[in-house]
């Protein structure tokens, strides 16, 4: 079971890397003035979301459920808190996907300052998430 826990942690780190970096790309994308830069950010955002973040998030959840089923079935309330925060992060991930679609279709109406605040959300969850 230790290898399942290791994979859960590896994919969680991968997922968090994307959750930290994608909103930062949104900040730069919202500040971009020329079309070549905006197109470059669209490609970077799409590859990060679909190539790193989504597989990392899905595999984090898969290995987390595997751990729960095989090891932590009778765990206390800390596991419920961890699962609630994981669900909150999954919602944040999906919200990032919505923002990604807005940028891809050139429908973004938010300024870079909004994205700077949006970028800080996963840090708060990470600080309060019990490992």
């Amino acid at each position: 079971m230790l290898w399942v826990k290791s994979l859960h942690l590896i994919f969680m780190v991968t997922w968090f890397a994307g959750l930290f970096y994608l909103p930062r790309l949104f900040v730069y994308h919202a500040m971009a003035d020329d079309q070549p830069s905006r197109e470059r950010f669209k490609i970077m955002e799409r590859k990060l979301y679909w190539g790193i973040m989504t597989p990392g998030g899905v595999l984090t959840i898969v290995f987390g459920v595997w751990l729960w089923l095989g090891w932590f079935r009778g765990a206390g309330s800390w596991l419920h808190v961890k699962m609630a925060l994981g669900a909150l992060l999954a919602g944040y991930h999906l919200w990032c996907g919505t923002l990604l679609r807005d940028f891809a279709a050139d429908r973004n109406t938010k300024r870079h300052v909004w994205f700077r605040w949006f970028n800080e959300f996963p840090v708060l969850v990470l600080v309060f998430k019990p490992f």
Side-chain angles (χ1 to χ4, degrees):
M1 270 318 221
L2 196 54
W3 65 273
V4 176
K5 187 174 185 178
S6 297
L7 289 172
H8 174 68
L9 289 173
I10 289 167
F11 288 116
M12 187 265 310
V13 169
T14 303
W15 189 24
F16 262 95
L19 288 174
F20 289 141
Y21 189 50
L22 185 63
R24 178 55 47 184
L25 285 177
F26 290 159
V27 170
Y28 299 143
H29 193 160
M31 293 173 60
D33 292 333
D34 57 312
Q35 190 61 28
S37 294
R38 287 191 292 266
E39 293 302 317
R40 187 177 324 111
F41 282 120
K42 288 179 189 180
I43 293 168
M44 291 170 65
E45 292 160 356
R46 186 186 74 241
K47 287 183 177 184
L48 177 63
Y49 187 82
W50 292 110
I52 297 172
M53 284 175 61
T54 300
V58 168
L59 291 170
T60 298
I61 292 169
V62 165
F63 286 112
V65 169
W66 191 345
L67 282 170
W68 174 67
L69 290 174
W71 210 5
F72 292 111
R73 214 78 216 255
S77 60
W78 66 269
L79 185 62
H80 295 108
V81 172
K82 184 173 181 168
M83 291 170 65
L85 290 173
L88 192 63
L89 285 172
Y92 181 78
H93 179 99
L94 294 173
W95 191 4
C96 284
T98 302
L99 295 170
L100 176 78
R101 282 190 295 276
D102 287 345
F103 272 116
D106 294 322
R107 291 187 310 240
N108 177 51
T109 58
K110 295 171 177 51
R111 298 183 38 86
H112 68 93
V113 175
W114 188 90
F115 288 107
R116 288 181 192 276
W117 284 103
F118 182 74
N119 188 38
E120 298 306 321
F121 177 77
V123 174
L124 297 175
V125 175
L126 181 63
V127 167
F128 294 111
K129 184 175 181 178
F131 290 98

